[in-house]
Amino acid sequence: MVIRMTGKQKKALKRNIIGYSFILPNFIGYFIFIFVPVILTFVLCVMKWDGSSAPLEFVGLQNFAKLFRDSGFRISVKNTLYYAVFTVPLTMVASLLIAVLLNSKIKGIVVYRTAFFFPYVASLVAVGAVWNMLFQPEFGPINEFLKFIGVANPPKWCASTDWAMTVIIIVSVWKYMGYYMVVYLAALQGISQDLYEAASIDGATGFKKFRYITIPMLTPTTFFVIIMMTIQCFKVFDLIYVMTGGGPGRSTNVLVNHIYNAAFVDFKFGYASASALVLFAIVLVVTVIQFRGEKKFTDYV
């Protein structure tokens, strides 16, 4: 049976083929680099495999049992939570305050906005290398300044188990606050000026306007920032890998760093896959809890 198509149908088919051809590369990339690895993760989590030509050995839930007995895994979870608990609120507050300051009409405002946004688009390797030099314990500018103002024994920063994570948090806030500043800035420009004018007529001060108008109107944006920052913090790897490599000791060894070492240093791909699934479960649970608490968060603000 031959199906005859009208000229209009042929044009529609041609238009659809052209449209799908544009998005096909994206689907191919997604399938190869995301979908296939995810499926392999679910397969390998119950296997023992070192990445060689040796056959896969089915071990059931042994990888998960080993995971929860591993002190290194527990430390990585603790470090990740510590990093997230401090990085999320500090980045949120810094980006909001900068956005409020840069929402005013002052000369050269575009230059200031660009300067604050630039760290986000800068090469992360370059950022890590520069901040490592700034925090260099012996001759770094930061410690030299601390010595100049009278600090006899300044911290060793990235070389200290007590201060390394603090450095990572500082650099993370500095790098990512520019992006969320733009998010807040867009939301601020969407707030009607009539609200502020009405508040001024009622005698509200600048702080009261900020507390009772700006913050409530930014609630959806704040919720978005919290969700995105939390997920980002649980996935942190590159900055830590560049600056400390998870050290000194295991003081900055986070979950993704633990997974990387298990897979590509120790070649325990089954164990690494189990760790990755646990990380996925943690992020999923945290995200669900945050979405469940959205209404309470909105009402509180």
Side-chain angles (χ1 to χ4, degrees):
M1 181 179 178
V2 179
I3 300 176
R4 297 185 180 275
M5 300 178 64
T6 64
K8 188 176 181 180
Q9 289 174 327
K10 288 180 180 179
K11 287 182 180 180
L13 177 62
K14 183 179 179 180
R15 194 162 52 245
N16 289 338
I17 291 174
I18 292 173
Y20 283 117
S21 67
F22 278 107
I23 63 175
L24 183 61
N26 184 61
F27 277 112
I28 293 174
Y30 178 86
F31 181 80
I32 294 175
F33 297 109
I34 297 180
F35 183 76
V36 172
V38 168
I39 297 301
L40 287 176
T41 300
F42 279 95
V43 173
L44 290 175
C45 72
V46 293
M47 301 289 182
K48 182 180 180 181
W49 187 49
D50 62 0
S52 67
S53 58
L56 279 69
E57 178 186 347
F58 179 77
V59 295
L61 298 178
Q62 288 185 21
N63 287 324
F64 292 96
K66 180 181 178 182
L67 183 69
F68 291 107
R69 292 196 304 266
D70 186 0
S71 62
F73 173 76
R74 293 194 296 270
I75 290 173
S76 68
V77 172
K78 178 183 175 182
N79 289 338
T80 304
L81 292 173
Y82 181 88
Y83 172 81
V85 165
F86 285 95
T87 303
V88 172
L90 288 175
T91 304
M92 184 178 68
V93 171
S95 57
L96 175 58
L97 293 178
I98 294 171
V100 171
L101 291 173
L102 297 184
N103 193 40
S104 56
K105 295 180 181 179
I106 58 176
K107 187 177 181 180
I109 192 67
V110 175
V111 176
Y112 295 121
R113 291 174 180 175
T114 304
F116 278 106
F117 183 73
F118 179 76
Y120 180 74
V121 298
S123 167
L124 194 138
V125 175
V127 167
V130 169
W131 278 99
N132 264 339
M133 288 189 289
L134 292 175
F135 281 107
Q136 208 278 337
E138 300 301 328
F139 309 106
I142 292 176
N143 273 7
E144 288 297 314
F145 173 75
L146 291 177
K147 292 176 184 177
F148 175 76
I149 61 175
V151 179
N153 296 304
K156 298 296 182 181
W157 301 117
C158 289
S160 168
T161 56
D162 296 326
W163 288 95
M165 185 58 80
T166 302
V167 173
I168 298 296
I169 292 171
I170 292 171
V171 178
S172 295
V173 173
W174 174 83
K175 179 168 177 58
Y176 295 112
M177 68 182 182
Y179 171 77
Y180 294 104
M181 173 207 72
V182 173
V183 175
Y184 271 122
L185 197 56
L188 283 169
Q189 293 177 352
I191 301 176
S192 174
Q193 292 300 312
D194 294 341
L195 297 174
Y196 293 106
E197 291 175 4
S200 298
I201 294 173
D202 291 336
T205 62
F207 176 77
K208 287 186 176 180
K209 292 178 185 178
F210 180 75
R211 172 65 184 88
Y212 294 105
I213 298 177
T214 304
I215 292 181
M217 294 298 292
L218 291 178
T219 299
T221 304
T222 300
F223 184 74
F224 168 79
V225 170
I226 292 173
I227 292 289
M228 297 304 295
M229 274 298 303
T230 302
I231 295 174
Q232 183 175 306
C233 285
F234 275 97
K235 297 193 303 178
V236 64
F237 168 74
D238 38 16
L239 184 63
I240 290 177
Y241 183 80
V242 171
M243 293 193 67
T244 64
R250 294 186 290 188
S251 59
T252 60
N253 191 47
V254 292
L255 269 169
V256 180
N257 205 72
H258 181 78
I259 294 169
Y260 173 84
N261 288 332
F264 302 109
V265 177
D266 300 330
F267 298 103
K268 298 177 180 178
F269 287 92
Y271 176 82
S273 297
S275 303
L277 285 181
V278 171
L279 172 60
F280 167 76
I282 292 173
V283 173
L284 179 63
V285 169
V286 171
T287 305
V288 169
I289 291 173
Q290 287 178 323
F291 273 105
R292 291 276 181 118
E294 178 182 6
K295 188 176 185 304
K296 292 182 179 179
F297 174 80
T298 305
D299 293 341
Y300 175 76
V301 174

